[in-house]
Amino acid sequence: MKTSAFLLLPVAMMIYSARAFASEQDEAGVLWGVKASFDLNIPGKWHTPAGSISMYDPGYGFTLGGVCNIDLSKGFYLEPGLSFFYDTYKADFTTTNADGNVSRLGPTVSKAGIRVPVMVGYWFSIPDRFDLTVFTGPEVSYGFSGKVKLGDDHIVEDWNDNLYGNEGMQRRFDAAWKVGLGAPINSLFVSIDAAIGITDLIPGAPSCRDNRASVSLTYYF
């Protein structure tokens, strides 16, 4: 959590600098766009002093929002954004009843919230072929809603389906570092990227970080 809080300051400074810089640019130096992403969610293992345990299966989600692309000259640009996300994946939990029988629950984890990425990128050209860009930067997320839903055939006494909250299984706040590659197609921009989790999401003894791979399409006005 301390690492995530520490990242808030540079992210806020970068967004403020982007707004100040944009106010000094003409229309050719600033592009606004809408961005949609298909996400492959790859939750990390639970890490304990005794070893690592795979507690989740990968899942899918989407991200939808807006971006502001600011030309910094000489091929460099700054692109802050704001988006809504919806993530899903499956947990791999088991319970043991009074008779000693083990049952696999496999609840579905779903969470929704907002993400604020701030990317710094560089455009370059492959002669007689096409333009490309590489980009990287921090991304912070805040989950508004998170649920852990059991199947209808499982009944667990006092089951808490809230992923967040005082007794939740994960923290609402998350931070990641993104790296990606993209290419323009007229007013469209196609990209792929990976988000590497920084925040330890579990309040208790185990540690766990979420990772994500995305394929995105951005339309610039």
Side-chain angles (χ1 to χ4, degrees):
M1 186 65 176
K2 292 181 178 179
T3 303
S4 301
F6 179 77
L7 281 175
L8 274 177
L9 180 59
V11 169
M13 292 177 64
M14 292 177 76
I15 294 175
Y16 178 81
S17 298
R19 292 180 61 186
F21 188 87
S23 65
E24 299 176 359
Q25 301 300 299
D26 57 26
E27 293 183 358
V30 178
L31 293 174
W32 296 89
V34 291
K35 183 175 182 179
S37 303
F38 173 77
D39 304 323
L40 173 63
N41 303 310
I42 311 172
K45 295 182 178 181
W46 281 14
H47 298 284
T48 68
S52 299
I53 307 171
S54 180
M55 294 296 292
Y56 303 105
D57 296 328
Y60 304 98
F62 67 88
T63 305
L64 180 64
V67 296
C68 176
N69 187 287
I70 304 168
D71 181 18
L72 300 179
S73 77
K74 297 184 179 180
F76 290 95
Y77 67 89
L78 180 66
E79 186 171 276
L82 177 64
S83 58
F84 168 84
F85 74 86
Y86 180 76
D87 288 343
T88 64
Y89 49 83
K90 272 200 169 184
D92 186 6
F93 298 155
T94 59
T95 60
T96 304
N97 62 20
D99 298 327
N101 296 320
V102 177
S103 176
R104 184 180 186 276
L105 301 181
T108 300
V109 178
S110 62
K111 44 189 175 181
I114 59 171
R115 290 193 173 112
V116 181
V118 182
M119 299 295 106
V120 176
Y122 177 72
W123 292 94
F124 62 95
S125 297
I126 298 178
D128 300 325
R129 292 182 181 271
F130 44 78
D131 294 334
L132 287 175
T133 179
V134 291
F135 56 89
T136 187
E139 177 185 74
V140 293
S141 305
Y142 185 83
F144 291 137
S145 173
K147 297 293 182 181
V148 184
K149 184 179 179 181
L150 296 175
D152 295 335
D153 55 340
H154 292 290
I155 300 176
V156 179
E157 186 177 356
D158 297 328
W159 175 258
N160 179 16
D161 66 349
N162 185 11
L163 187 67
Y164 304 126
N166 294 333
E167 298 180 359
M169 302 177 188
Q170 289 189 11
R171 294 186 171 94
R172 294 178 182 272
F173 189 91
D174 191 12
W177 193 269
K178 298 185 71 173
V179 292
L181 176 69
I185 305 175
N186 297 323
S187 296
L188 299 176
F189 179 69
V190 180
S191 62
I192 56 173
D193 64 65
I196 303 169
I198 297 175
T199 304
D200 179 5
L201 295 177
I202 302 179
S207 63
C208 179
R209 291 167 173 80
D210 278 359
N211 307 301
R212 189 175 71 257
S214 301
V215 178
S216 303
L217 182 65
T218 306
Y219 175 77
Y220 292 106
F221 300 99

